[in-house]
């Protein structure tokens, strides 16, 4: 197996302290948002044999296993991250596989450069994802019941929000949600900025359930995404709890440290809380306008001590082992590729001693025995 040397991405929303604290190093003072583990060409992990992209390309079947190559192609189908949100991320949604293929092909035909700021589809893949909290973790996930959203907006006492309140009481629910989100995102920017300012003042005064939106407005004053965010469920995960985010589900991470895994894609359509491009027509085509419970996941324990976060897709499978002091070793050998990540304590994986934030890549079929005291996450595929 290969010890991984991973890139930390310095996005502006990143915490300045959470990843350094996990790694046991001094903060640099700069934001450290995500540590990437995998073979994404944007920031592939490095090994003694070269980048993980190069290692896999040299012999895909040896590294990934014949079954994974047959199912997903000659690339690692997932990207594992440690994510540290010190400020809210953009309100966003991801396409399904068919939408991603169509959107990518269309933008290729139109000759839009892949790095153009107005480009929506960077690749032809979907991007389902799972976030598992390492600390308390706040996020927004999926639409509230429209009546609940109406009550939340109405409670602000802002006259310019009254039309949205009325629309949310209309039927059917999906049409009501679509009409309100469309109206918010296409409203006159100056008028919407005034509405957001009034709503922000009310959120700050009322506190409680309104506090998260006051914080959003602090980071993104006047942004229509502040109102759009109030249509979504607010979720606070406890350590070990997770959220699965499928195609078309609007969401945003607000604050906290977590382990994130996703299909190996970078396709994002933004709804707000961002200075970046918002393609409203394409966004409205992708979003699933249906109220839903955010569906907090807790791991399912198996007799061998593996705790699995069940999801409906095959590109990734995330689980964890909480290894007690003096416990037995575990044989994690699988016919599929794996990344093992330590997040607490000290875990020995093969010949590698892993401290928090350290990880290894285990080729398909490679013997993988682990022991120690701490928490180990395992990322692999279903093939």
């Amino acid at each position: 197996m290969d010890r991984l040397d991973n890139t930390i991405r310095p996005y502006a929303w990143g915490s300045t302290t959470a990843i350094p604290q996990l790694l046991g190093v001094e903060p640099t003072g700069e934001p450290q948002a995500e540590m990437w583990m995998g073979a994404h060409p944007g920031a592939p992990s490095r090994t003694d044999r070269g980048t993980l992209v190069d290692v896999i390309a040299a012999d895909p079947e040896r590294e990934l296993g014949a079954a994974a190559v047959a199912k997903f192609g000659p690339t690692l189908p997932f990207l594992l991250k440690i994510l540290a949100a010190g400020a809210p991320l953009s309100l966003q949604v991801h396409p399904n596989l068919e939408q991603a293929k169509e959107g990518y092909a269309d933008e290729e035909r139109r000759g839009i450069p892949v790095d153009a700021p107005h480009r929506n589809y960077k690749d032809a893949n979907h991007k389902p994802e799972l976030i598992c909290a390492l600390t308390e973790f706040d996020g927004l996930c999926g639409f509230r019941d429209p009546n609940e959203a109406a009550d939340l907006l109405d409670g602000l006492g802002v006259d310019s929000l009254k039309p949205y309140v009325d629309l949310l009481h209309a039927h059917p629910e999906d049409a009501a949600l679509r009409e309100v989100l469309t109206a918010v995102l296409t409203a006159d920017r100056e008028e919407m900025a005034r509405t957001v300012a009034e709503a922000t003042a009310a959120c700050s005064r009322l506190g409680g359930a309104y506090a998260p939106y006051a914080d959003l407005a602090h980071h993104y004053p006047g942004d229509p995404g502040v109102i759009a965010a109030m249509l979504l469920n607010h979720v606070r995960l406890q350590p070990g709890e997770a959220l699965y985010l499928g195609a078309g589900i609007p969401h945003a991470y607000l604050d906290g440290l977590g382990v994130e895994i996703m299909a190996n894609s970078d396709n994002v359509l933004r709804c707000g809380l961002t200075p970046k491009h918002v393609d409203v027509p394409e966004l409205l085509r992708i979003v699933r306008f249906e109220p839903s419970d955010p569906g907090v996941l807790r791991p399912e324990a198996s007799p061998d001590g593996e705790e699995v976060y069940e999801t409906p897709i095959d590109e990734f499978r995330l689980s964890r082992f909480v290894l007690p002091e003096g416990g037995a070793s575990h044989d994690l050998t699988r016919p599929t590729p794996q990344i093992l990540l330590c997040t607490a304590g000290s875990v020995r994986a093969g010949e590698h001693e892993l401290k928090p934030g350290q990880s290894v890549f285990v080729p398909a079929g490679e013997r993988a025995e682990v022991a120690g005291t701490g928490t180990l996450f395992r990322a692999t595929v279903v093939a």
Side-chain angles (χ1 to χ4, degrees):
M1 63 181 71
D2 300 278
R3 182 181 287 275
L4 298 179
D5 178 19
N6 303 305
T7 297
I8 296 176
R9 310 305 294 262
Y11 305 138
W13 50 261
S15 167
T16 58
T17 58
I19 289 179
Q21 185 175 356
L22 179 72
L23 298 176
V25 299
E26 287 296 315
T28 64
E30 298 298 317
Q32 297 189 25
E34 296 179 347
M35 184 167 75
W36 288 22
M37 291 157 280
H40 191 287
S45 298
R46 298 169 293 277
T47 77
D48 288 342
R49 298 188 285 157
T51 71
L52 200 52
V53 169
D54 295 335
V55 168
I56 292 170
D59 195 343
E61 288 208 0
R62 179 184 181 279
E63 303 298 332
L64 305 177
V69 171
K71 190 167 187 176
F72 305 111
T75 57
L76 189 67
F78 65 82
L79 176 63
L80 184 67
K81 300 179 180 181
I82 292 174
L83 182 145
L89 281 68
S90 61
L91 191 60
Q92 59 190 255
V93 68
H94 306 302
N96 63 31
L97 188 56
E98 182 180 353
Q99 291 164 341
K101 288 178 177 178
E102 291 175 354
Y104 180 79
D106 175 63
E107 291 185 329
E108 287 289 282
R109 277 194 303 271
R110 289 189 284 143
I112 301 174
V114 73
D115 58 351
H118 63 289
R119 174 127 184 181
N120 294 315
Y121 297 94
K122 305 298 176 64
D123 53 68
N125 200 11
H126 63 164
K127 192 187 176 188
E129 60 191 41
L130 178 79
I131 183 78
C132 177
L134 294 178
T135 64
E136 275 199 346
F137 194 98
D138 278 14
L140 303 169
C141 178
F143 285 109
R144 298 176 184 267
D145 179 279
N147 289 316
E148 292 179 11
D151 290 344
L152 194 69
L153 291 176
D154 198 32
L156 293 171
V158 175
D159 288 343
S160 54
L161 292 177
K162 298 296 185 185
Y164 303 148
V165 172
D166 293 339
L167 285 171
L168 287 167
H169 285 306
H171 292 282
E173 292 180 335
D174 58 345
L177 290 167
R178 175 183 288 275
E179 196 162 349
V180 172
L181 184 63
T182 303
V184 168
L185 296 181
T186 58
D188 179 85
R189 295 292 292 195
E190 289 188 7
E191 290 181 10
M192 179 53 67
R194 287 193 291 271
T195 295
V196 172
E198 285 187 61
T200 301
C203 286
S204 299
R205 183 180 68 254
L206 293 167
Y210 293 97
Y213 308 102
D215 186 61
L216 286 179
H218 168 73
H219 290 284
Y220 299 101
D223 193 305
V226 174
I227 305 302
M230 298 183 75
L231 303 176
L232 308 186
N233 298 295
H234 175 247
V235 186
R236 175 164 292 167
L237 300 177
Q238 298 303 311
E241 295 181 335
L243 286 175
Y244 172 72
L245 301 158
I249 302 298
H251 62 278
Y253 302 145
L254 305 182
D255 182 71
L257 180 70
V259 173
E260 185 183 33
I261 190 168
M262 62 191 64
N264 199 9
S265 171
D266 198 25
N267 285 326
V268 176
L269 287 105
R270 295 174 179 85
C271 319
L273 308 180
T274 178
K276 295 182 180 179
H277 175 62
V278 176
D279 185 337
V280 174
E282 185 65 8
L283 173 73
L284 297 174
R285 189 176 78 88
I286 298 303
V287 171
R288 288 165 54 187
F289 289 97
E290 54 190 48
S292 62
D293 184 279
V296 174
L297 294 177
R298 295 170 183 86
E300 298 285 336
S302 60
D304 64 358
E306 184 178 25
E307 301 176 341
V308 181
Y309 294 90
E310 297 288 354
T311 65
I313 53 95
D314 293 342
E315 282 89 342
F316 61 76
R317 175 184 183 274
L318 186 71
S319 61
R320 70 173 184 174
F321 292 82
V322 180
L323 305 173
E325 186 174 357
S329 63
H330 295 262
D331 183 359
L332 305 191
T333 307
R334 284 179 65 95
T336 52
Q338 304 180 74
I339 292 178
L340 305 179
L341 165 68
C342 176
T343 59
S346 178
V347 179
R348 187 163 188 82
E351 63 184 22
H352 302 282
E353 194 74 27
L354 302 181
K355 302 296 184 184
Q358 296 180 338
S359 56
V360 292
F361 172 72
V362 186
E366 191 84 8
R367 181 165 173 76
E369 188 166 327
V370 302
T373 305
T375 302
L376 185 77
F377 281 84
R378 172 201 238 181
T380 185
V381 302
V382 180

